[in-house]
Amino acid sequence: MTIERVLLDYGSGGQASHRLVNELFLKHLGNAVLSVLDDAARLDIAGPLAMSTDSFVVDPIFFPGGDIGALAVHGTVNDVAMLGARPRYLTCGFILEEGLPIEDLEKIVASMGAAAAEAGVLIVAGDTKVVPRGMADKIFINTTGIGEIFASPAPSGHRAAPGDAVLISGTLGDHGLAILSTRQGLSFDAPVASDCASLNHLIVKVIEAAGDVHVLRDPTRGGLATTLNEIAGQSGVGVFIEESLIPVKPAVAAGCSFLGLDPLYLANEGKFICILPEANAQAALAVMRADPLGADAVRIGVVRAEHPGKVVMTTPLGGQRLMGMLEGEQLPRIC
Amino acid sequence: MTIERVLLDYGSGGQASHRLVNELFLKHLGNAVLSVLDDAARLDIAGPLAMSTDSFVVDPIFFPGGDIGALAVHGTVNDVAMLGARPRYLTCGFILEEGLPIEDLEKIVASMGAAAAEAGVLIVAGDTKVVPRGMADKIFINTTGIGEIFASPAPSGHRAAPGDAVLISGTLGDHGLAILSTRQGLSFDAPVASDCASLNHLIVKVIEAAGDVHVLRDPTRGGLATTLNEIAGQSGVGVFIEESLIPVKPAVAAGCSFLGLDPLYLANEGKFICILPEANAQAALAVMRADPLGADAVRIGVVRAEHPGKVVMTTPLGGQRLMGMLEGEQLPRIC
């Protein structure tokens, strides 16, 4: 592109839009399906399918460990994977603010292309709108994905059962703290980076090794505590976790302490909760730990019939306290 | 909802988000699939599939003939249908500006629910982000849809062939002029309303009646002229249309003349171009004209081998001129 900033023309559907598609989007995201450029993409895929959508408005758009483009791919890939599915196809919808540097847009789109390649998904359809300066903040991206469900029965938030073990695939709070510290210009002794990553390949391995996995969910907005509350409510069970077992990186713990944040309510973008029969927990953990994305995986608790709909945390001193859902908003525009 | 305006909390993923989902979204959009509320929706659908995505940023959000919610459903339903598919499932991603009146949001969501019911599609997954005041303009909506392709071979912009007839399902420019006149506070002798509507049921009837339809495409952004240019380029053919045959409502023609706009470059949201073998054109037209959404359908031209990649318009005086793609942007935020 010879022009340096996004113009309103790029959203017109006319010549300028076509140049943007041909010179930038197809360059980084092109594949045999997308390049047909009909009103819709033609996909050969067999059901049952998992389908999920997510809009990304993260601020800042570039952060340690990723950017809004990679995040938009990872986030939707993960949501599809959590249903026991192999994500196959993604669409992307861009809302651009007039004046966005083309260089930034290209970096973001290239990053989406790399993330999609890594996850093994194709971007098959797209849309770009441009709004006048001041009517949006730089760039918002929607991604929507579909994948083939291979797990049978498929994991669901409704399937947690008393006696199940509760596993987490790694440390908590990395993404949330990375965004917040970048936004506020804070730095800590140890660098904190977003954990954003596509978990789909690891999910396949876990299900193959552990058999029937009852629940998979990625603790994004609202963090571990909120996500476990959702599951407890959907399944009508109590989720009991032990505070001392919950993995948090020292730098994240220090940053949270400094900022008055609880890492259990911070967003994660490369972690998943896995709830499954106790008998299969070790097999699942072994597979996770053998993968760089699950190296810090641990068993953090159990599911019980008591306290249905609640999340109960046991503290190191033996006390118990209820962990509620996130109230209010700690961090707007975290993803 | 007892609160009058959208708060940042509604995008947190926590308690407030859950209330918004339960009290507003599920009320208007709820169905057995959506109500599961897992990370992704489980869909029983058989390929081949058509998949399309569109983000809507239209300004104003309420306009004669529709609103951003109905438009977001119709627009994606139509894109999926244009591949010769029955649209089945839609996702919706909301980006809300803090302070948006809840009443407006509810009106928009109710309108989406009604549009989805009319089109016969289910909204199966959703996402809501809230950005601080001034970081977006009221509300942006992404919809992404999938449907089952039933036409074989499926229509495609690459299949226009010399000898084909070119049909248009109705009058041009209604949506574009309705938006622009609302935005500018203009009114004309006859009221101008958006034509936004879901065309999927009519498309099924046309394909059943006419057999192999080579191209279906809805002339949205960039209008008829730009869309025909896309098809001419993709198929490597010349598209020849007759100016005197192109249907434009008198009020739209008058408004365009007053504002210096060309209705052939204005967006439509309830019309489609149909290109098919001449022998089947009358059957297709008869089906269109029997449906309120195609009452003004006419044959406007032919496809030829000459002038490949170009759109040639014959004027009433017998002259010919090339109709290029839209250059620049007549109307930002038209959809």
Side-chain angles (χ1 to χ4, degrees):
Chain A
M1 310 284 295
T2 50
I3 290 174
E4 288 183 2
R5 290 183 177 272
V6 168
L7 308 174
L8 280 175
D9 291 358
Y10 290 165
S12 66
Q15 291 275 21
S17 299
H18 285 80
R19 277 195 300 273
L20 188 71
V21 167
N22 289 318
E23 294 175 26
L24 199 151
F25 292 123
L26 287 180
K27 176 174 152 193
H28 294 289
L29 307 178
N31 56 65
V33 181
L34 181 64
S35 307
V36 174
L37 295 180
D38 272 328
D39 278 348
R42 183 196 170 93
L43 310 175
D44 288 300
I45 184 170
L49 299 185
M51 184 173 195
S52 188
T53 190
D54 227 331
S55 293
F56 295 84
V57 298
V58 65
D59 170 38
I61 55 177
F62 299 101
F63 48 83
D67 58 41
I68 189 171
L71 184 61
V73 171
H74 296 316
T76 292
V77 162
N78 290 344
D79 280 343
V80 170
M82 296 303 145
L83 223 68
R86 290 181 218 271
R88 292 280 308 278
Y89 301 113
L90 251 55
T91 61
C92 56
F94 295 93
I95 297 173
L96 308 178
E97 183 187 13
E98 179 191 16
L100 176 74
I102 292 283
E103 195 188 336
D104 286 355
L105 178 61
E106 179 145 21
K107 241 193 270 179
I108 289 164
V109 173
S111 170
M112 295 183 79
E118 196 188 306
V121 297
L122 293 184
I123 292 176
V124 293
D127 175 61
T128 306
K129 296 294 188 314
V130 181
V131 297
R133 228 176 263 269
M135 296 294 163
D137 189 19
K138 297 187 272 294
I139 177 170
F140 301 147
I141 304 176
N142 175 282
T143 50
T144 301
I146 59 175
E148 287 153 327
I149 298 177
F150 65 92
S152 178
S156 164
H158 298 261
R159 294 188 59 222
D164 283 355
V166 179
L167 317 180
I168 181 79
S169 67
T171 57
L172 295 172
D174 303 61
H175 177 74
L177 196 70
I179 296 297
L180 191 68
S181 53
T182 309
R183 205 185 291 169
Q184 312 225 332
L186 300 173
S187 62
F188 303 106
D189 288 350
V192 175
S194 168
D195 56 346
C196 81
S198 285
L199 299 164
N200 54 322
H201 301 310
L202 177 54
I203 293 291
V204 171
K205 290 193 279 180
V206 168
I207 292 176
E208 280 174 355
D212 187 13
V213 171
H214 289 171
V215 184
L216 290 173
R217 193 162 287 180
D218 54 341
T220 54
R221 280 184 292 175
L224 178 74
T226 302
T227 308
L228 288 178
N229 268 281
E230 291 172 2
I231 297 167
Q234 289 182 316
S235 294
V237 296
V239 175
F240 291 72
I241 56 175
E242 284 186 50
E243 189 171 12
S244 62
L245 299 177
I246 294 171
V248 178
K249 289 202 176 95
V252 172
C256 282
S257 162
F258 177 73
L259 294 164
L261 296 169
D262 184 339
L264 302 195
Y265 289 91
L266 284 185
N268 308 280
E269 294 290 347
K271 302 291 156 51
F272 63 99
I273 296 164
C274 175
I275 299 181
L276 76 180
E278 188 74 66
N280 306 328
Q282 284 311 315
L285 276 177
V287 166
M288 289 187 206
R289 288 175 181 158
D291 188 293
L293 294 175
D296 298 319
V298 287
R299 183 182 177 290
I300 57 170
V302 292
V303 177
R304 294 195 186 140
E306 299 94 76
H307 291 301
K310 304 290 183 196
V311 177
V312 182
M313 190 159 78
T314 311
T315 63
L317 296 175
Q320 287 197 331
R321 64 183 171 97
L322 286 181
M323 301 284 292
M325 263 196 192
L326 178 64
E327 273 292 352
E329 173 62 295
Q330 289 196 102
L331 291 173
R333 302 184 62 190
I334 202 71
C335 61
Chain B
M1 310 284 295
T2 50
I3 290 173
E4 289 183 3
R5 289 181 179 274
V6 168
L7 309 173
L8 280 175
D9 291 359
Y10 290 164
S12 66
Q15 291 276 21
S17 299
H18 284 79
R19 277 196 299 272
L20 188 71
V21 168
N22 289 319
E23 294 174 25
L24 200 152
F25 292 123
L26 287 181
K27 176 173 151 194
H28 294 289
L29 306 179
N31 57 63
V33 181
L34 182 64
S35 308
V36 173
L37 296 179
D38 272 327
D39 278 347
R42 183 198 170 91
L43 309 176
D44 288 301
I45 185 170
L49 299 184
M51 185 173 195
S52 188
T53 191
D54 227 331
S55 294
F56 295 84
V57 300
V58 65
D59 169 40
I61 56 177
F62 299 102
F63 49 81
D67 59 42
I68 190 172
L71 184 62
V73 171
H74 296 315
T76 291
V77 161
N78 290 344
D79 281 343
V80 170
M82 295 304 143
L83 225 67
R86 288 181 219 273
R88 292 280 309 276
Y89 300 114
L90 251 56
T91 60
C92 56
F94 295 93
I95 296 173
L96 308 178
E97 183 186 13
E98 179 190 16
L100 176 74
I102 292 284
E103 196 189 334
D104 286 354
L105 178 60
E106 180 145 21
K107 241 191 272 181
I108 290 165
V109 174
S111 170
M112 295 183 79
E118 197 188 306
V121 297
L122 294 182
I123 292 176
V124 293
D127 175 60
T128 306
K129 295 295 188 315
V130 182
V131 297
R133 227 176 263 269
M135 296 294 164
D137 188 19
K138 298 186 273 293
I139 177 169
F140 301 147
I141 304 177
N142 174 281
T143 50
T144 302
I146 58 174
E148 287 153 329
I149 297 176
F150 65 92
S152 178
S156 163
H158 298 260
R159 295 189 58 224
D164 283 355
V166 179
L167 316 181
I168 182 77
S169 68
T171 57
L172 295 171
D174 303 62
H175 177 75
L177 195 71
I179 297 297
L180 190 68
S181 53
T182 309
R183 205 186 290 168
Q184 311 224 334
L186 300 174
S187 62
F188 304 105
D189 288 349
V192 176
S194 168
D195 57 346
C196 80
S198 285
L199 299 165
N200 54 322
H201 301 309
L202 177 54
I203 293 290
V204 171
K205 290 192 281 179
V206 168
I207 292 175
E208 281 175 355
D212 186 14
V213 171
H214 289 171
V215 184
L216 290 173
R217 191 163 288 178
D218 54 341
T220 54
R221 280 185 292 175
L224 177 74
T226 302
T227 309
L228 287 179
N229 268 280
E230 290 172 6
I231 296 166
Q234 289 181 315
S235 293
V237 295
V239 175
F240 290 71
I241 57 175
E242 283 186 50
E243 188 171 11
S244 61
L245 299 176
I246 294 171
V248 179
K249 289 202 176 95
V252 173
C256 281
S257 163
F258 178 73
L259 294 164
L261 296 169
D262 185 339
L264 302 194
Y265 289 91
L266 285 185
N268 309 280
E269 293 290 347
K271 301 292 155 51
F272 64 99
I273 296 164
C274 175
I275 299 180
L276 77 179
E278 188 74 64
N280 306 329
Q282 284 311 316
L285 275 177
V287 166
M288 289 186 206
R289 288 176 181 158
D291 188 294
L293 294 175
D296 299 317
V298 286
R299 182 180 176 291
I300 56 170
V302 292
V303 176
R304 295 198 185 137
E306 299 93 77
H307 291 301
K310 304 290 183 198
V311 177
V312 182
M313 190 158 81
T314 311
T315 65
L317 296 176
Q320 288 197 332
R321 64 183 170 97
L322 287 181
M323 301 285 294
M325 262 194 191
L326 178 65
E327 273 292 354
E329 172 62 293
Q330 288 195 102
L331 292 172
R333 301 183 64 190
I334 201 71
C335 61

